Amino acid sequence: MLTVSTVSDLRSGRLSFAGTVGLVPTMGYLHEGHASLLREGRKRGDVLVLSIFVNPIQFGKNEDLDSYPRNMDRDCQIADACGVDIVFIPTAGEMYPDGFQTGVTVRDLSLPLCGTSRPGHFDGVATVVTKLFNIVRPDVALFGRKDYQQLAVIRRMTADLNMPVEIMGMPIVREADGLAMSSRNAYLSPLERQSALCLSRAVKRARELFAAGERSVAVLAGETRAVIEQEAAAVVDYVEFRDGATLQESDVADVGTLLALAVKIGQTRLIDNTVLGEDL
Ligand code: AMP
């Protein structure tokens, strides 16, 4: 496995491999969710590239950029075990040298949900993913549905800008007790880890109600929110039901309606989601 930190080393390294290229962009501190993307990427392309970059421009002023968990040695072991060919670990200076001033905005899809709580977040994501696509030139790039809105933004951007890359969305990988895997789970104390189960419980409750025939978004949202609010340590950021493709609001849920939620457990902001009527 080749480990590189500059754009020019990535480009020359890539030339020593032949065939189609798969890319898995991450912020590192890898877990089974990332590994599931890497394993699928291994099958999808001849060459598998993993990028690890805690992208400063997608973090807000009071967010966790400095404290974001990092463990490069462990990440490289996991990458190696998943069959990664090239790991790209650029510095912030390599990605955003002095004078950098260009951004990519996906207008409407970036506004609701996490875009409201984290203004500018998806501009940062769209910009770094565009850069990674231009640097690596993948044939296929894999993203998790855990970050549903991010995947929607990237799909839109890729289509709108005719980027020659196939985008694959992969299922959410969960811990045995239901908690969606996330690098940020490392922030949770043992007690908070228990409290965090309210997110997946809320998702489960909404799916059950929908399966039993409930279609009123007001009822579904009320019941889902109530599950979270039973947990004293949880503070709801948002609980929203929206069209899974456009992210527009609707009063009536249907197959394909997205439930997206963001909840603070202590200092840690966690997200989860599900698409109603879709198999898990
Ligand atoms: P991150 O390192 O958190 O930026 O995530 C990198 C990629 O891994 C993104 O495409 C995420 O959606 C995906 N990912 C993170 N957690 C999970 C999970 N629990 N299941 C599936 N994919 C995930």
Side-chain angles (χ1 to χ4, degrees), residues 2 5 12 18-19 21 27 32-33 69-70 84 98 134 145 166 169 182 201 203-204 231 235 239-240 244-245 272 275:
L2 186 66
S5 58
S12 53
V21 177
M27 299 203 299
E32 250 324 290
R70 290 164 169 89
V84 169
D98 283 348
N134 285 333
R145 283 187 226 139
E166 179 195 347
S182 165
R201 265 205 304 273
V203 163
K204 188 159 170 264
E231 191 57 63
V235 177
V239 173
E240 292 198 36
D272 203 342
V275 176

Side-chain angles (χ1 to χ4, degrees), residues 16-268:
S16 58
F17 292 89
T20 57
V21 177
L23 170 67
V24 176
T26 76
M27 299 203 299
Y29 211 71
L30 302 183
H31 51 66
E32 250 324 290
H34 300 114
S36 73
L37 271 55
L38 291 172
R39 285 191 210 103
E40 186 64 24
R42 184 61 281 167
K43 293 187 216 152
R44 294 283 162 166
D46 300 316
V47 188
L48 179 58
V49 180
L50 162 69
S51 64
I52 300 178
F53 180 56
V54 183
N55 175 34
I57 68 166
Q58 73 185 65
F59 285 76
K61 269 204 184 68
N62 299 315
E63 294 184 355
D64 57 344
L65 173 63
D66 295 332
S67 59
Y68 197 83
R70 290 164 169 89
N71 188 338
M72 284 305 166
D73 291 345
R74 198 169 150 272
D75 285 355
C76 287
Q77 282 168 22
I78 294 171
D80 205 20
C82 291
V84 169
D85 296 303
I86 306 178
V87 191
F88 179 46
I89 313 178
T91 61
E94 181 72 8
M95 292 296 273
Y96 305 114
D98 283 348
F100 184 92
Q101 53 185 289
T102 303
V104 180
T105 297
V106 178
R107 279 192 297 273
D108 298 346
L109 287 174
S110 295
L111 292 178
L113 306 173
C114 286
T116 304
S117 322
R118 308 183 68 188
H121 169 67
F122 290 111
D123 294 352
V125 170
T127 303
V128 79
V129 171
T130 299
K131 283 178 66 75
L132 289 168
F133 284 178
N134 285 333
I135 294 165
V136 177
R137 301 197 182 209
D139 298 279
V140 55
L142 299 96
F143 295 86
R145 283 187 226 139
K146 157 88 191 322
D147 299 273
Y148 188 98
Q149 188 176 11
Q150 167 173 284
L151 177 59
V153 163
I154 289 165
R155 281 194 195 285
R156 186 77 255 166
M157 173 186 87
T158 311
D160 287 356
L161 299 182
N162 308 94
M163 294 179 174
V165 53
E166 179 195 347
I167 305 299
M168 279 197 67
M170 298 290 294
I172 300 176
V173 177
R174 296 178 181 279
E175 302 283 359
D177 60 8
L179 180 68
M181 289 196 185
S182 165
S183 306
R184 289 192 169 95
N185 292 348
Y187 295 140
L188 301 170
S189 70
L191 266 179
E192 288 173 339
R193 172 69 184 70
Q194 278 307 110
S195 304
L197 290 176
C198 69
L199 282 91
S200 50
R201 265 205 304 273
V203 163
K204 188 159 170 264
R205 176 86 180 120
R207 291 184 65 87
E208 283 166 2
L209 287 167
F210 183 81
E214 184 57 64
R215 294 292 180 270
S216 158
V217 161
V219 173
L220 287 165
E223 293 278 329
T224 308
R225 188 177 267 271
V227 172
I228 299 166
E229 287 173 347
Q230 273 166 17
E231 191 57 63
V235 177
V236 171
D237 178 352
Y238 63 76
V239 173
E240 292 198 36
F241 289 80
R242 286 177 175 258
D243 183 276
T246 64
L247 304 186
Q248 296 291 311
E249 285 176 299
S250 159
D251 295 337
V252 183
D254 202 346
V255 171
T257 295
L258 168 74
L259 159 61
L261 41 96
V263 177
K264 263 193 125 176
I265 306 288
Q267 294 302 304
T268 306

